[in-house]
Amino acid sequence: MGDGRPGRDWTRIRERGSMWGLRLTVACYRALGPVLTLPLVYAVVAYFFATDPTGRAASRRFLARIAARSDTGVGESPSEAREPGLWQSFLHYREFALSIADRIGLWGGREEDFEFAFSGREHFDRLHAEGRGAILYGAHLGSFDALRVLSVADGVPVNVLMYTRHAAKINAIFRELGPGAELRVIAADDDAATTALRIKACLDRAEHVAILADRVEPNDRHRARWIEFLGAPAPFPIAPFELPLLFGAPALLVLALRDGRRRYAVHVEMLADPYSPVPRARRPELVEKLARGYVSRLEHYCVRAPRQWFNFYDVWEARAEAS
């Protein structure tokens, strides 16, 4: 399908919660530890579940798509597997609560409480040996915070390209969690030329640039690409997939999926490695191939860990923009 934009803009979904609530959760984590803080986090997420009918409906529709693509579905019984109900949706929200608690621990300097098993670690080892930075693609699936653990272990900075409307609030909480927890951000809402120069500077220093590439950002609405995802076309941003071809940088998929209590399986896959900038005439075809490759692997991991998909809005609810 052609270019379009989401009919329901995820950036317009009102930010729920407050600095006070975040600080209370952080204080409890520090005072009581992760186990005793979980009931508080559960209570907060249960409140959001009860008062968010749009999110609940989106959760159930997503889980139904997963069930249609999976032999086992997402429930304990055949009826649940084929038609996910409120309980399955609640478990989806509950997984989000667990991820919040883990984030607080990771950013609070408690990495030793977690276990990370890397699949594809050799890709980072090779890049480190070659002195090269890379474009790292993640998603709102699992935990993107494993990149901080990787950054500390390898001594290679990871810069996150993100829409910075709420970055000040996030960084304020990270500073309170502990020294050195500042999130290295490249503002995606600056003009394109400035953003590109900052990305190139990071890559020239052999640093990584990380992007969550499963949401269409406000600046990219007119350049969304419709790609088959879990049985129906969904809009994905195309701009992130131009970067490796523009700068001749490796493109890696990095997803960390919760695999038990404070244990994560980190999956690293090489999507492309052009080594040098690609001529303009060849870019459109290769960008399309890279984007579709990313979406295909994202679908694969969504089926493996459906409750760790933390987009609580209908990704497929979109309107094609009239040409």
Side-chain angles (χ1 to χ4, degrees):
M1 295 181 66
D3 289 345
R5 68 179 179 183
R8 187 167 190 268
D9 184 356
W10 67 266
T11 63
R12 295 178 185 172
I13 298 174
R14 181 173 57 90
E15 184 184 22
R16 310 184 76 197
S18 65
M19 290 287 285
W20 178 87
L22 289 171
R23 287 196 175 104
L24 174 63
T25 306
V26 170
C28 289
Y29 192 99
R30 283 174 166 169
L32 305 175
V35 175
L36 295 179
T37 303
L38 268 181
L40 171 65
V41 178
Y42 283 163
V44 172
V45 172
Y47 167 77
F48 289 150
F49 175 80
T51 59
D52 184 18
T54 301
R56 291 197 307 269
S59 168
R60 292 178 66 181
R61 284 194 291 268
F62 170 77
L63 295 175
R65 288 186 179 276
I66 292 291
R69 297 299 297 269
S70 170
D71 293 335
T72 57
V74 294
E76 299 297 329
S77 67
S79 61
E80 286 181 322
R82 290 303 135 202
E83 297 183 8
L86 282 176
W87 176 245
Q88 295 301 320
S89 182
F90 176 76
L91 293 178
H92 190 184
Y93 274 70
R94 176 182 175 273
E95 193 69 33
F96 183 53
L98 292 170
S99 76
I100 292 172
D102 285 353
R103 292 196 74 186
I104 294 172
L106 284 169
W107 284 97
R110 298 285 295 269
E111 293 95 338
E112 68 277 2
D113 293 345
F114 297 85
E115 177 185 347
F116 291 89
F118 281 85
S119 172
R121 186 70 167 79
E122 66 275 7
H123 297 304
F124 282 112
D125 293 339
R126 177 173 66 84
L127 293 175
H128 186 64
E130 295 174 353
R132 302 171 69 203
I135 306 294
L136 311 180
Y137 295 105
H140 294 82
L141 177 71
S143 172
F144 209 43
D145 297 295
L147 286 175
R148 181 171 182 267
V149 176
L150 180 71
S151 177
V152 172
D154 286 358
V156 178
V158 176
N159 307 271
V160 181
L161 182 68
M162 64 182 294
Y163 185 60
T164 58
R165 178 179 297 175
H166 302 302
K169 177 181 288 190
I170 294 170
N171 268 325
I173 291 296
F174 287 164
R175 282 193 296 271
E176 292 178 16
L177 280 171
E182 184 82 6
L183 184 64
R184 298 181 60 140
V185 172
I186 300 174
D189 39 4
D190 287 339
D191 66 272
T194 300
T195 302
L197 287 173
R198 289 175 178 168
I199 292 171
K200 185 177 186 305
C202 292
L203 295 173
D204 288 345
R205 295 191 299 266
E207 298 176 3
H208 301 313
V209 176
I211 306 172
L212 295 174
D214 58 329
R215 288 181 179 177
V216 179
E217 301 285 358
N219 293 346
D220 288 333
R221 290 175 192 156
H222 64 293
R223 302 188 63 210
R225 183 75 77 245
W226 292 77
I227 300 175
E228 193 80 5
F229 179 56
L230 290 173
F236 286 87
I238 204 67
F241 302 104
E242 295 174 337
L243 298 175
L245 307 176
L246 180 64
F247 299 122
L252 278 73
L253 175 72
V254 182
L255 295 172
L257 303 180
R258 185 181 174 88
D259 189 31
R261 186 174 179 181
R262 292 193 289 279
R263 187 171 69 247
Y264 283 85
V266 184
H267 303 275
V268 182
E269 299 184 8
M270 183 69 72
L271 298 177
D273 192 356
Y275 275 95
S276 61
V278 174
R280 184 186 297 271
R282 293 194 60 217
R283 283 182 209 158
E285 175 189 352
L286 297 179
V287 166
E288 185 83 13
K289 181 179 179 180
L290 179 57
R292 292 185 181 277
Y294 165 84
V295 174
S296 174
R297 299 309 295 162
L298 177 61
E299 179 178 284
H300 168 80
Y301 287 108
C302 281
V303 172
R304 288 184 60 171
R307 290 174 187 156
Q308 295 184 50
W309 173 255
F310 301 136
N311 283 313
F312 290 96
Y313 69 98
D314 196 327
V315 176
W316 296 269
E317 185 181 303
R319 297 190 300 268
E321 197 171 47
S323 59

